[in-house]
Amino acid sequence: MLHLKLETDPRWVNIVESNIEEILTDHAWCEQKAATNAISIITLNSEYPDLVTDLLELAKEELEHFQMVHDIIKKRGYKLGRERKDSYVNELYKFMNNGGNRLQRMVDRLLFSAMIEARSCERFKLLSKEINDPELSKFYHDLMISEAGHYTTFINFARKYGKGVDVDKRWNALVEFESEVIKNYGKSETIHG
């Protein structure tokens, strides 16, 4: 369903398990950034009422996830560390068409968002299956389902409003681009690292 070309090496979970506090902090900030991203898309495309409605719900859900991760951090006696840079997302951003027309930029932003959700979903699925922590296994299983829905939301809006843009061609190009980017990751205890 996610159309990712390269799956995460399962050994990444061993790296994650070596520093649960770090993965949780990184994950919390990923959720905050996802909420901010949804709000930014709304701000730039407020003339689409259904997009505004759905992305408001998505942003609320991402903030709820942020709170859920923060609650786990507190429960385990950890502290929410400082915000982390997400090098994967920054590299993926280079794919974006910043010079095209407004519609092309909207489609790219929606596809970019779909890709991040797809990779997060794939990582959450792996964590849910492989992590030796029953609480986190269930938590990541539940989030995997949510992220798959977010992926679908972004893809569907790109297709719905991308009139005149070959959305499938652009998506396939992004999938290829991401498959090269992700080869450099899977080596740290971060959601995309």
Side-chain angles (χ1 to χ4, degrees):
M1 177 188 112
L2 298 173
H3 304 108
L4 298 173
K5 288 195 72 158
L6 189 63
E7 291 186 8
T8 300
D9 185 327
R11 292 176 292 185
W12 170 73
V13 176
N14 299 331
I15 297 167
V16 166
E17 289 177 319
S18 73
N19 194 347
I20 296 293
E21 185 173 7
E22 179 61 26
I23 189 75
L24 290 172
T25 290
D26 181 72
H27 180 190
W29 289 114
C30 286
E31 298 292 355
Q32 176 272 323
K33 290 172 194 168
T36 301
N37 179 58
I39 296 296
S40 294
I41 293 171
I42 290 168
T43 303
L44 295 169
N45 303 285
S46 58
E47 68 272 26
Y48 303 106
D50 58 340
L51 180 141
V52 172
T53 298
D54 288 1
L55 291 192
L56 278 171
E57 287 303 313
L58 190 147
K60 284 192 258 183
E61 195 171 305
E62 298 288 18
L63 281 177
E64 288 171 9
H65 295 169
F66 184 22
Q67 181 173 358
M68 291 164 69
V69 179
H70 187 240
D71 288 346
I72 292 171
I73 289 169
K74 292 187 302 185
K75 178 180 161 189
R76 292 179 178 223
Y78 302 148
K79 296 227 183 309
L80 177 63
R82 303 292 296 169
E83 179 185 2
R84 288 13 182 193
K85 290 192 186 300
D86 192 326
S87 298
Y88 163 81
V89 170
N90 291 335
E91 280 193 59
L92 204 59
Y93 189 80
K94 294 174 186 174
F95 180 82
M96 301 272 286
N97 186 350
N98 294 316
N101 64 40
R102 187 166 176 262
L103 180 63
Q104 290 167 324
R105 289 191 303 273
M106 179 179 87
V107 167
D108 268 17
R109 182 69 176 264
L110 291 166
L111 295 179
F112 166 80
S113 302
M115 179 57 73
I116 294 168
E117 297 290 345
R119 182 55 67 186
S120 298
C121 180
E122 186 261 350
R123 292 279 172 101
F124 292 166
K125 180 179 179 182
L126 182 59
L127 284 170
S128 75
K129 288 183 171 185
E130 300 293 333
I131 199 163
N132 291 312
D133 183 314
E135 178 188 26
L136 291 180
S137 175
K138 180 179 181 344
F139 178 65
Y140 283 114
H141 179 268
D142 294 344
L143 287 185
M144 170 194 69
I145 295 165
S146 177
E147 299 298 305
H150 296 171
Y151 156 80
T152 302
T153 296
F154 287 120
I155 285 279
N156 287 344
F157 278 123
R159 289 186 175 130
K160 180 174 184 177
Y161 292 117
K163 305 293 185 234
V165 176
D166 190 340
V167 175
D168 289 332
K169 181 178 179 183
R170 194 72 181 138
W171 174 251
N172 289 331
L174 178 56
V175 168
E176 288 293 330
F177 183 83
E178 194 270 351
S179 71
E180 291 302 314
V181 168
I182 201 65
K183 287 178 183 176
N184 298 316
Y185 293 92
K187 302 173 182 92
S188 67
E189 59 281 314
T190 59
I191 294 299
H192 301 123

